[in-house]
Amino acid sequence: MSDETRHHVSRAPRLALLLHSLMLGLLLLAMTGCASSPHYVQATPKVSGNLPESGSGQAVTLTVVDGRESALLGSRSGATMSTDTITLESGDVLPELQAQAAYALRQMGFTPTDEANAQRPSLTLTLKRLDYARGQRQPLLGEAELEAVFEAEAHNGGESYVGRYTSRRNQSYALRPSLEENTQMINELLSDGLDRSFSDPALGQLLAR
């Protein structure tokens, strides 16, 4: 074998290793880019069917409000980098909350309506807060801390009732959650908050009077 042939053979493994390293680097770069993209969540919460039945067909004026200060829920890294943000726009959550709140009232035996009437029981459900933060309790794993707060204000005649309901979730992970995983966690949190609100017996009792 000539010196030129031996030189060509010895360079082949190096070239293959270089190409492998380059492809691996590009793959990691692509994965990092995907993981650092902003997440825009679509809300699809669901109320459970296990709600206490209090009404007997009474009409209830229902109003649902997004009382959050911002559509920004937080950041997956805990920093303020725009690529790590998680956002749920008011226009994406209000129609879903309205539909589920109306469904909950029907499950409780009431007839929801959006027509105001001073002689009719009324309920205002407000999403006060929805936060997503990076926890610090896991030294080797990442952790997401989520919190949702709803407020229900009911009026019937001269009586009123205000309830505040908080749902929390801590989720540990080795890899940062994807958009689909974050969407699922947030929707489960909102669903739990709705269930807590409409499962309050004092709320149903006041509306039924």
Side-chain angles (χ1 to χ4, degrees), residues 111-133:
T111 303
T113 177
D114 57 2
E115 296 180 0
N117 187 326
Q119 306 303 316
R120 178 187 299 144
S122 65
L123 171 65
T124 300
L125 180 71
T126 304
L127 176 60
K128 301 290 289 186
R129 190 164 68 248
L130 182 59
D131 297 329
Y132 185 114

Side-chain angles (χ1 to χ4, degrees), residues 17-170:
L17 180 61
L18 179 61
L19 289 173
H20 178 74
S21 300
L22 180 60
M23 291 178 64
L24 182 61
L26 290 173
L27 179 61
L28 290 174
L29 182 61
M31 291 175 64
T32 301
C34 292
S36 298
S37 299
H39 285 183
Y40 294 93
V41 178
Q42 296 296 316
T44 54
K46 300 296 180 186
V47 174
S48 71
N50 302 318
L51 299 176
E53 187 170 347
S54 310
S56 54
Q58 299 98 320
V60 174
T61 300
L62 173 64
T63 305
V64 179
V65 178
D66 183 2
R68 298 175 298 155
E69 296 182 355
S70 170
L72 180 65
L73 309 187
S75 166
R76 303 193 299 285
S77 67
T80 56
M81 296 182 295
S82 61
T83 55
D84 261 357
T85 56
I86 301 174
T87 301
L88 176 57
E89 297 291 347
S90 183
D92 291 327
V93 68
L94 265 181
E96 299 295 331
L97 292 180
Q98 179 81 30
Q100 290 302 304
Y103 171 75
L105 283 176
R106 287 193 292 269
Q107 293 295 309
M108 296 169 65
F110 299 102
T111 303
T113 177
D114 57 2
E115 296 180 0
N117 187 326
Q119 306 303 316
R120 178 187 299 144
S122 65
L123 171 65
T124 300
L125 180 71
T126 304
L127 176 60
K128 301 290 289 186
R129 190 164 68 248
L130 182 59
D131 297 329
Y132 185 114
R134 187 173 186 273
Q136 305 294 332
R137 292 188 293 179
Q138 296 287 349
L140 300 179
L141 298 175
E143 184 182 50
E145 294 182 348
L146 296 87
E147 181 178 85
V149 179
F150 283 93
E151 183 178 272
E153 183 176 356
H155 296 275
N156 192 356
E159 300 185 57
S160 61
Y161 175 80
V162 177
R164 196 175 180 93
Y165 316 92
T166 301
S167 296
R168 295 186 179 92
R169 174 169 179 167
N170 293 80

